[in-house]
Amino acid sequence: MNAIEIHNLSKSYGKVQALKNISFEVQQGELFGLIGPDGAGKSTLFRLLTTLLNPDEGSAKIDGLDMVKDYRLIRSRVGYMPGRFSLYPDLSVEENLQFFAALFGVKIEDSYDLIAPIYSQIEPFRTRKAGKLSGGMKQKLALSCALIHRPSVLFLDEPTTGVDAVSRNEFWDMLATLKTQGITIFVSTPYMDEASRCDRIALCNEGSILSIDTPQGIVQHFDAPIYGIRANNMLALLESARNAQGVIDCYPSGEWHHLVANTNFDVSKFESEFNHMDDFIIKSIEPTIEDVFIKLMKR
Amino acid sequence: MSDIVISVKNLTKQFGNFVAVDNISFDVQRGEIFGFLGANGAGKTTAMRMLCGLSYPTSGSGTVAGYDVMRNGEQIKRHIGYMSQRFSLYNDLTVLENMRLFASIYGLSKKHTEERATELLNQLNFMSERNTLVGSLPLGWKQKLSFVIATIHHPDVIFLDEPTGGVDPITRRQFWELIYKAAENGTTIFVTTHYMDEAEYCSRVSIMVDGKICALDTPTRLKEQYSANSMDEVFRTLARGAKRGG
């Protein structure tokens, strides 16, 4: 059975179409990433799937249950960590956990094995008020609270936004551990470098899904030659490379500019044309998720 | 003025017994894109507040845009640009009205304001949107607009606080092109971020851990030094040992 099934889901706020007729499935036990910039519709989809909003059109099933008809049952089976920190800052770490356990009618002891790898890290601070925790610790508490009733599907809306690289990496390690417990994880992020930590990803933009596949599958679909170029003067290089023969697109990408070519592109000709620039280098590269995203956006 | 736009020596900021910024020293050259990295709680924000003239150091010395960080906070504020992580233009004013407002805050003459507004609108290809309310613009446009408005008074240095979080990849690259152009024209760019792909765009980056700068070099050399494939790896190697924040 699929953990999540989405059929032709649409949602508008007034004139703004937040989600435009999207459909896909998430398998049980999958770590599924919804990847896209602000305004892609990620949070709207989360609110629909956690039964906080009703769709304008279409339907979805969570654990085989209908999102509109069976919303009460769904709520007891999903865990949801919204993008904004939403625990009680005036309650202690322990009290927050007790509160969520009481809401779902469960005992902390019964789920302790599940949350232990995460909660044990903040347990030394169990009497501290949640509002006084550091960002990384808040996140661990929020995740513990979202797991306290042993949900079958865990929804995490941008859990790593605003978090530093070390904590971000730890967070993804925690998700990998949870996945081994059989929990389906549906997670969103605006940061494309996190895609590789997911089993499958959906790239989304402005309310639509651009592509769905494994991270490897997504980049394999990039069907044009792509090169990295650099020189001492990156700006001059960028501007002239765009006008060179056989260049479809050229844009900054960190230390290198990425150059997307067509079949008329001749590397050695390009090299001899640009060799006069100081420290000029061209090399063949593997496309990244961002390269794919850019190509899909421009299509 | 010399070609060094930011120069600090042994800069320290203490809150009670807590040393938020611990004896940091570095120089930033004119036209450089300088990345200022660090884990949560490393002291980035405190350091940046001192460089922007918003707080005075406990000890140390230095200059920003030629003005003393120990004494001339007000002068520093006039000669720098600042773009916050949080969108801070006025949603209920039009594009042009926002430009005029910030120009007048920085004391530009009426004539100069109109000239600069025209220049910036052309730079963004945005002339047709000049009378659009800023609140109705897409996020990417707002970000680009915030950046050019931060340059309206021709500051020597612009401070950017996580400028491209949540922006789509195309807009993000257009944004970096704007930064490259500003740097090419001699504006120094000082960027704080904890997203490491952003660090790869910088001429040089520094990495703060527990209030100290523990690495400072070009991304290429840092990657060589730490035998890493990406700045993300370099950062994680250095920041893993952090005692605070996290």
Side-chain angles (χ1 to χ4, degrees), chain B residues 100-164:
Chain B
R100 285 177 180 149
L101 173 68
F102 284 93
S104 78
I105 289 172
Y106 285 110
L108 269 65
S109 70
K110 229 177 185 160
K111 183 165 164 278
H112 194 187
T113 299
E114 295 312 308
E115 280 167 18
R116 278 299 279 156
T118 307
E119 267 172 45
L120 298 181
L121 288 167
N122 283 332
Q123 192 186 342
L124 287 179
N125 260 327
F126 220 36
M127 198 50 94
S128 57
E129 301 295 329
R130 66 184 179 280
N131 295 322
T132 305
L133 286 182
V134 159
S136 66
L137 294 173
L139 175 84
W141 277 108
K142 287 183 178 173
Q143 298 276 81
K144 287 188 274 185
L145 186 63
S146 303
F147 178 76
V148 301
I149 286 182
T151 70
I152 201 155
H153 55 302
H154 286 299
D156 293 309
V157 47
I158 304 180
F159 290 87
L160 305 172
D161 195 3
E162 284 197 34
T164 67

Coordinates of all heavy atoms in Angstrom, one line a residue, chain B residues 100-164:
Chain B
R100 N 13.1 56.2 -3.4 CA 13.2 57.6 -2.9 C 13.3 57.7 -1.4 O 14.1 58.5 -0.9 CB 11.9 58.3 -3.4 CG 11.9 58.7 -4.8 CD 10.6 59.4 -5.3 NE 10.7 59.7 -6.7 CZ 9.6 59.7 -7.4 NH1 8.4 59.5 -6.9 NH2 9.7 60.1 -8.7
L101 N 12.6 56.8 -0.7 CA 12.6 56.8 0.7 C 14.0 56.5 1.2 O 14.6 57.3 2.0 CB 11.7 55.8 1.3 CG 11.8 55.6 2.8 CD1 11.3 56.8 3.6 CD2 11.0 54.4 3.3
F102 N 14.7 55.4 0.7 CA 16.0 55.1 1.2 C 17.0 56.1 0.7 O 18.0 56.4 1.5 CB 16.4 53.7 0.8 CG 15.7 52.6 1.6 CD1 14.4 52.1 1.3 CD2 16.2 52.3 2.9 CE1 13.8 51.2 2.1 CE2 15.5 51.4 3.7 CZ 14.3 50.8 3.3
A103 N 16.8 56.7 -0.5 CA 17.8 57.7 -0.9 C 17.7 58.9 0.0 O 18.7 59.5 0.4 CB 17.4 58.2 -2.3
S104 N 16.5 59.3 0.5 CA 16.4 60.4 1.3 C 16.9 60.1 2.7 O 17.5 61.0 3.4 CB 15.0 61.0 1.3 OG 14.2 60.2 2.2
I105 N 16.8 58.9 3.2 CA 17.4 58.5 4.5 C 18.9 58.7 4.4 O 19.5 59.2 5.4 CB 17.0 57.1 4.9 CG1 15.5 57.0 5.2 CG2 17.9 56.5 6.0 CD1 15.0 55.6 5.4
Y106 N 19.5 58.4 3.3 CA 20.9 58.5 3.2 C 21.3 59.9 2.7 O 22.5 60.2 2.4 CB 21.5 57.5 2.2 CG 21.5 56.1 2.9 CD1 20.7 55.1 2.5 CD2 22.5 55.8 3.9 CE1 20.8 53.8 3.1 CE2 22.5 54.6 4.5 CZ 21.6 53.6 4.1 OH 21.7 52.3 4.7
G107 N 20.4 60.8 2.6 CA 20.7 62.2 2.3 C 21.0 62.5 0.9 O 21.7 63.5 0.7
L108 N 20.6 61.7 -0.1 CA 20.9 62.1 -1.5 C 20.0 63.3 -1.9 O 18.9 63.4 -1.4 CB 20.5 60.9 -2.4 CG 21.6 59.9 -2.7 CD1 22.1 59.2 -1.4 CD2 21.2 58.9 -3.7
S109 N 20.5 64.2 -2.7 CA 19.8 65.3 -3.2 C 18.6 64.8 -4.1 O 18.7 63.6 -4.6 CB 20.6 66.2 -4.0 OG 21.0 65.6 -5.2
K110 N 17.6 65.6 -4.4 CA 16.5 65.2 -5.2 C 17.0 64.8 -6.6 O 16.5 63.8 -7.1 CB 15.5 66.4 -5.3 CG 14.1 66.0 -5.0 CD 13.2 67.1 -5.0 CE 11.8 66.6 -4.6 NZ 10.9 67.6 -4.1
K111 N 17.9 65.6 -7.1 CA 18.3 65.3 -8.5 C 19.1 64.0 -8.5 O 18.9 63.2 -9.4 CB 19.2 66.5 -8.9 CG 19.7 66.4 -10.3 CD 20.3 67.7 -10.8 CE 21.2 67.6 -12.1 NZ 22.5 67.1 -11.8
H112 N 20.0 63.8 -7.6 CA 20.8 62.6 -7.5 C 19.9 61.4 -7.3 O 20.1 60.3 -7.8 CB 21.8 62.8 -6.3 CG 22.9 61.8 -6.4 ND1 23.8 61.6 -5.4 CD2 23.2 60.8 -7.3 CE1 24.6 60.6 -5.7 NE2 24.3 60.1 -6.8
T113 N 18.9 61.6 -6.5 CA 17.9 60.5 -6.2 C 17.3 60.0 -7.5 O 17.2 58.8 -7.8 CB 16.8 60.9 -5.2 OG1 17.4 61.3 -4.0 CG2 15.8 59.8 -5.0
E114 N 16.8 60.9 -8.3 CA 16.1 60.5 -9.5 C 17.1 59.9 -10.5 O 16.7 58.9 -11.1 CB 15.4 61.7 -10.2 CG 14.3 62.3 -9.4 CD 13.3 61.3 -8.8 OE1 12.8 60.5 -9.6 OE2 13.0 61.3 -7.6
E115 N 18.3 60.4 -10.5 CA 19.3 59.7 -11.4 C 19.6 58.3 -10.9 O 19.6 57.4 -11.8 CB 20.7 60.5 -11.3 CG 20.7 61.8 -12.1 CD 21.9 62.7 -11.8 OE1 22.9 62.1 -11.1 OE2 21.9 63.9 -12.1
R116 N 19.8 58.2 -9.6 CA 20.1 56.8 -9.1 C 18.9 55.9 -9.3 O 19.1 54.7 -9.7 CB 20.4 56.9 -7.6 CG 21.8 57.3 -7.3 CD 22.9 56.3 -7.8 NE 23.1 55.1 -7.0 CZ 23.6 54.0 -7.5 NH1 23.9 53.9 -8.8 NH2 23.7 53.0 -6.7
A117 N 17.7 56.4 -9.1 CA 16.5 55.5 -9.3 C 16.5 55.0 -10.7 O 16.3 53.8 -11.0 CB 15.3 56.3 -8.9
T118 N 16.7 55.9 -11.7 CA 16.7 55.5 -13.1 C 17.8 54.5 -13.3 O 17.5 53.4 -14.0 CB 16.9 56.7 -14.0 OG1 15.9 57.7 -13.6 CG2 16.7 56.4 -15.4
E119 N 19.0 54.7 -12.8 CA 20.1 53.8 -13.0 C 19.7 52.4 -12.5 O 19.9 51.4 -13.1 CB 21.3 54.2 -12.2 CG 22.3 55.1 -13.0 CD 23.4 55.6 -12.1 OE1 23.9 54.9 -11.2 OE2 23.7 56.8 -12.2
L120 N 19.2 52.3 -11.3 CA 18.9 51.1 -10.6 C 17.7 50.3 -11.3 O 17.8 49.1 -11.5 CB 18.6 51.3 -9.1 CG 19.7 51.9 -8.3 CD1 19.2 52.0 -6.8 CD2 21.0 51.0 -8.3
L121 N 16.7 51.1 -11.7 CA 15.6 50.5 -12.5 C 16.1 49.9 -13.8 O 15.7 48.8 -14.1 CB 14.5 51.5 -12.7 CG 13.7 52.0 -11.5 CD1 12.9 53.2 -11.8 CD2 12.8 50.8 -11.0
N122 N 17.0 50.6 -14.4 CA 17.6 50.0 -15.7 C 18.4 48.8 -15.4 O 18.3 47.8 -16.2 CB 18.4 51.1 -16.4 CG 17.5 52.1 -17.1 OD1 16.4 51.8 -17.5 ND2 18.0 53.3 -17.2
Q123 N 19.2 48.9 -14.3 CA 20.0 47.8 -14.0 C 19.2 46.5 -13.8 O 19.7 45.4 -14.2 CB 20.8 48.1 -12.7 CG 22.0 47.2 -12.4 CD 22.5 47.5 -11.0 OE1 22.3 48.6 -10.5 NE2 23.3 46.6 -10.4
L124 N 18.0 46.6 -13.2 CA 17.2 45.5 -13.0 C 16.2 45.2 -14.1 O 15.5 44.2 -14.1 CB 16.3 45.7 -11.7 CG 17.0 45.6 -10.4 CD1 16.0 45.9 -9.3 CD2 17.6 44.3 -10.1
N125 N 16.3 46.0 -15.2 CA 15.3 45.9 -16.2 C 13.9 46.0 -15.7 O 13.0 45.3 -16.0 CB 15.4 44.5 -16.9 CG 16.1 44.6 -18.2 OD1 16.1 45.6 -18.9 ND2 16.8 43.5 -18.5
F126 N 13.7 47.0 -14.8 CA 12.5 47.1 -14.0 C 11.7 48.3 -14.2 O 10.8 48.6 -13.4 CB 13.0 46.9 -12.5 CG 12.1 46.1 -11.7 CD1 11.5 44.9 -12.2 CD2 11.9 46.3 -10.4 CE1 10.7 44.1 -11.5 CE2 11.1 45.6 -9.6 CZ 10.5 44.4 -10.1
M127 N 12.1 49.1 -15.2 CA 11.4 50.4 -15.4 C 9.9 50.3 -15.5 O 9.2 51.1 -14.9 CB 12.0 51.0 -16.7 CG 11.8 52.5 -16.8 SD 12.3 53.5 -15.4 CE 13.9 53.9 -15.9
S128 N 9.4 49.3 -16.1 CA 8.0 49.1 -16.3 C 7.2 48.8 -15.0 O 6.0 49.0 -14.9 CB 7.7 48.0 -17.3 OG 8.2 46.8 -16.9
E129 N 8.0 48.4 -14.0 CA 7.4 48.0 -12.7 C 7.5 49.1 -11.7 O 7.3 48.9 -10.5 CB 7.9 46.7 -12.2 CG 7.8 45.5 -13.1 CD 6.3 45.1 -13.3 OE1 5.5 45.3 -12.3 OE2 6.0 44.7 -14.4
R130 N 8.0 50.3 -12.1 CA 8.4 51.3 -11.0 C 7.3 51.7 -10.2 O 7.4 52.1 -9.0 CB 9.1 52.5 -11.7 CG 8.3 53.3 -12.6 CD 9.1 54.4 -13.3 NE 8.3 55.2 -14.2 CZ 8.0 54.9 -15.4 NH1 8.4 53.7 -15.9 NH2 7.3 55.7 -16.2
N131 N 6.0 51.7 -10.7 CA 4.9 52.1 -9.9 C 4.1 50.9 -9.3 O 3.0 51.1 -8.9 CB 3.9 53.0 -10.8 CG 4.6 54.3 -11.2 OD1 5.4 54.8 -10.4 ND2 4.5 54.7 -12.4
T132 N 4.7 49.8 -9.3 CA 4.1 48.6 -8.7 C 4.3 48.6 -7.2 O 5.4 48.9 -6.8 CB 4.6 47.3 -9.3 OG1 4.5 47.4 -10.7 CG2 4.0 46.0 -8.8
L133 N 3.3 48.2 -6.4 CA 3.5 48.1 -5.0 C 4.5 46.9 -4.7 O 4.3 45.8 -5.3 CB 2.2 47.8 -4.3 CG 1.2 49.0 -4.1 CD1 0.0 48.5 -3.4 CD2 1.8 50.1 -3.4
V134 N 5.5 47.2 -3.9 CA 6.5 46.2 -3.6 C 5.9 44.9 -3.1 O 6.3 43.8 -3.4 CB 7.5 46.8 -2.7 CG1 8.3 45.7 -2.0 CG2 8.5 47.6 -3.5
G135 N 4.8 45.0 -2.2 CA 4.1 43.9 -1.6 C 3.6 42.9 -2.7 O 3.5 41.7 -2.4
S136 N 3.3 43.3 -3.9 CA 2.8 42.4 -4.9 C 3.8 41.8 -5.8 O 3.5 41.1 -6.7 CB 1.7 43.1 -5.7 OG 2.3 44.2 -6.5
L137 N 5.1 42.1 -5.5 CA 6.2 41.5 -6.3 C 6.5 40.1 -5.9 O 6.4 39.8 -4.7 CB 7.4 42.3 -6.2 CG 7.5 43.7 -6.8 CD1 8.8 44.4 -6.4 CD2 7.3 43.7 -8.3
P138 N 6.9 39.2 -6.8 CA 7.3 37.9 -6.4 C 8.6 38.0 -5.5 O 9.4 38.9 -5.7 CB 7.7 37.1 -7.7 CG 7.3 38.1 -8.8 CD 7.0 39.4 -8.3
L139 N 8.8 36.9 -4.7 CA 9.9 37.0 -3.7 C 11.3 37.3 -4.4 O 12.1 38.1 -3.9 CB 10.0 35.6 -3.0 CG 11.2 35.5 -2.1 CD1 10.9 36.1 -0.7 CD2 11.6 34.0 -1.9
G140 N 11.6 36.6 -5.5 CA 12.8 36.8 -6.1 C 13.1 38.2 -6.5 O 14.2 38.8 -6.4
W141 N 12.1 38.9 -7.0 CA 12.2 40.3 -7.4 C 12.4 41.2 -6.2 O 13.2 42.1 -6.2 CB 10.9 40.8 -8.1 CG 11.0 40.4 -9.6 CD1 10.2 39.5 -10.2 CD2 11.8 41.0 -10.5 NE1 10.6 39.4 -11.5 CE2 11.6 40.4 -11.7 CE3 12.8 42.0 -10.5 CZ2 12.2 40.7 -12.9 CZ3 13.5 42.3 -11.7 CH2 13.2 41.6 -12.9
K142 N 11.8 40.8 -5.1 CA 11.9 41.6 -3.9 C 13.4 41.5 -3.4 O 14.0 42.5 -3.0 CB 11.1 41.0 -2.7 CG 9.6 41.3 -2.9 CD 8.9 40.8 -1.7 CE 7.4 41.1 -1.8 NZ 6.6 40.4 -0.7
Q143 N 14.0 40.3 -3.5 CA 15.4 40.1 -3.1 C 16.3 41.0 -3.9 O 17.2 41.7 -3.4 CB 15.8 38.7 -3.2 CG 15.0 37.7 -2.4 CD 15.5 37.6 -1.0 OE1 15.2 38.5 -0.2 NE2 16.3 36.6 -0.7
K144 N 16.1 41.0 -5.2 CA 17.0 41.7 -6.1 C 16.8 43.2 -5.9 O 17.8 44.0 -5.8 CB 16.7 41.4 -7.6 CG 17.2 40.0 -7.9 CD 17.1 39.7 -9.4 CE 15.8 39.2 -9.8 NZ 15.6 38.8 -11.2
L145 N 15.6 43.6 -5.6 CA 15.3 45.0 -5.4 C 15.9 45.5 -4.0 O 16.6 46.5 -4.0 CB 13.8 45.2 -5.3 CG 13.3 46.7 -5.2 CD1 13.7 47.5 -6.4 CD2 11.8 46.7 -5.0
S146 N 15.8 44.6 -3.0 CA 16.5 44.9 -1.7 C 18.0 45.2 -1.9 O 18.6 46.1 -1.4 CB 16.4 43.8 -0.7 OG 15.0 43.5 -0.5
F147 N 18.6 44.3 -2.8 CA 20.0 44.4 -3.0 C 20.4 45.8 -3.6 O 21.2 46.5 -3.2 CB 20.6 43.3 -3.8 CG 22.0 43.4 -4.1 CD1 23.0 43.1 -3.1 CD2 22.5 43.8 -5.3 CE1 24.3 43.3 -3.3 CE2 23.9 43.9 -5.6 CZ 24.8 43.7 -4.6
V148 N 19.7 46.1 -4.7 CA 20.1 47.4 -5.4 C 19.8 48.6 -4.6 O 20.5 49.6 -4.6 CB 19.5 47.5 -6.9 CG1 19.9 46.4 -7.7 CG2 18.0 47.7 -6.9
I149 N 18.7 48.5 -3.8 CA 18.4 49.6 -2.9 C 19.5 49.8 -1.8 O 19.8 50.9 -1.5 CB 17.0 49.5 -2.3 CG1 15.9 49.8 -3.4 CG2 16.8 50.5 -1.1 CD1 14.5 49.8 -3.0
A150 N 20.1 48.7 -1.4 CA 21.2 48.8 -0.5 C 22.4 49.5 -1.1 O 23.3 49.9 -0.4 CB 21.6 47.4 0.1
T151 N 22.4 49.6 -2.4 CA 23.6 50.2 -3.1 C 23.3 51.7 -3.5 O 24.1 52.3 -4.1 CB 24.0 49.5 -4.4 OG1 23.0 49.7 -5.4 CG2 24.2 48.0 -4.1
I152 N 22.1 52.2 -3.1 CA 21.6 53.5 -3.7 C 22.5 54.6 -3.4 O 22.7 55.5 -4.2 CB 20.1 53.7 -3.3 CG1 19.5 54.7 -4.2 CG2 20.0 54.2 -1.8 CD1 18.0 54.6 -4.3
H153 N 23.2 54.6 -2.2 CA 24.0 55.7 -1.8 C 25.5 55.4 -2.1 O 26.4 56.0 -1.5 CB 23.8 56.0 -0.3 CG 24.0 54.8 0.6 ND1 23.3 53.7 0.4 CD2 24.9 54.6 1.6 CE1 23.7 52.8 1.3 NE2 24.6 53.3 2.0
H154 N 25.8 54.5 -3.1 CA 27.1 54.1 -3.4 C 28.0 53.8 -2.2 O 29.1 54.4 -2.0 CB 27.8 55.3 -4.2 CG 27.3 55.4 -5.6 ND1 27.4 54.4 -6.5 CD2 26.7 56.4 -6.2 CE1 26.9 54.8 -7.7 NE2 26.4 56.0 -7.5
P155 N 27.6 52.8 -1.4 CA 28.4 52.5 -0.2 C 29.7 51.8 -0.6 O 29.8 51.2 -1.7 CB 27.5 51.5 0.6 CG 26.6 50.9 -0.5 CD 26.4 51.9 -1.5
D156 N 30.7 51.9 0.2 CA 32.0 51.2 0.0 C 31.8 49.7 0.2 O 32.5 49.0 -0.5 CB 33.0 51.8 0.9 CG 33.4 53.2 0.7 OD1 33.6 53.5 -0.5 OD2 33.3 54.0 1.6
V157 N 31.0 49.4 1.1 CA 30.8 48.0 1.4 C 29.3 47.7 1.7 O 28.6 48.5 2.2 CB 31.7 47.5 2.6 CG1 31.6 48.5 3.7 CG2 31.4 46.1 3.1
I158 N 28.9 46.5 1.2 CA 27.5 46.1 1.5 C 27.5 44.8 2.3 O 28.3 43.8 2.0 CB 26.7 45.8 0.2 CG1 26.8 47.0 -0.7 CG2 25.3 45.4 0.5 CD1 26.0 46.7 -2.0
F159 N 26.8 44.8 3.4 CA 26.7 43.6 4.2 C 25.4 42.9 3.9 O 24.3 43.5 3.9 CB 26.6 44.1 5.7 CG 27.9 44.6 6.2 CD1 28.2 45.9 6.1 CD2 28.8 43.7 6.8 CE1 29.5 46.4 6.5 CE2 30.1 44.2 7.3 CZ 30.4 45.6 7.1
L160 N 25.5 41.6 3.6 CA 24.4 40.8 3.2 C 24.2 39.7 4.2 O 25.2 38.9 4.4 CB 24.6 40.2 1.8 CG 24.9 41.1 0.6 CD1 25.3 40.3 -0.6 CD2 23.8 42.0 0.3
D161 N 23.0 39.5 4.7 CA 22.8 38.5 5.7 C 21.9 37.4 5.1 O 20.7 37.6 4.9 CB 22.1 39.2 6.9 CG 22.1 38.3 8.2 OD1 22.7 37.2 8.1 OD2 21.5 38.7 9.2
E162 N 22.5 36.3 4.8 CA 21.8 35.2 4.1 C 20.9 35.7 3.0 O 19.7 35.5 3.1 CB 21.1 34.4 5.1 CG 22.0 33.5 5.9 CD 21.3 32.4 6.6 OE1 20.3 31.9 6.0 OE2 21.8 32.0 7.6
P163 N 21.5 36.2 1.9 CA 20.7 36.9 1.0 C 19.8 36.1 0.1 O 18.7 36.6 -0.3 CB 21.7 37.6 0.1 CG 23.0 36.8 0.2 CD 22.9 36.3 1.6
T164 N 20.1 34.8 -0.1 CA 19.3 34.1 -1.1 C 18.5 32.9 -0.5 O 18.2 32.0 -1.3 CB 20.1 33.6 -2.3 OG1 21.1 32.6 -1.8 CG2 20.9 34.7 -2.9

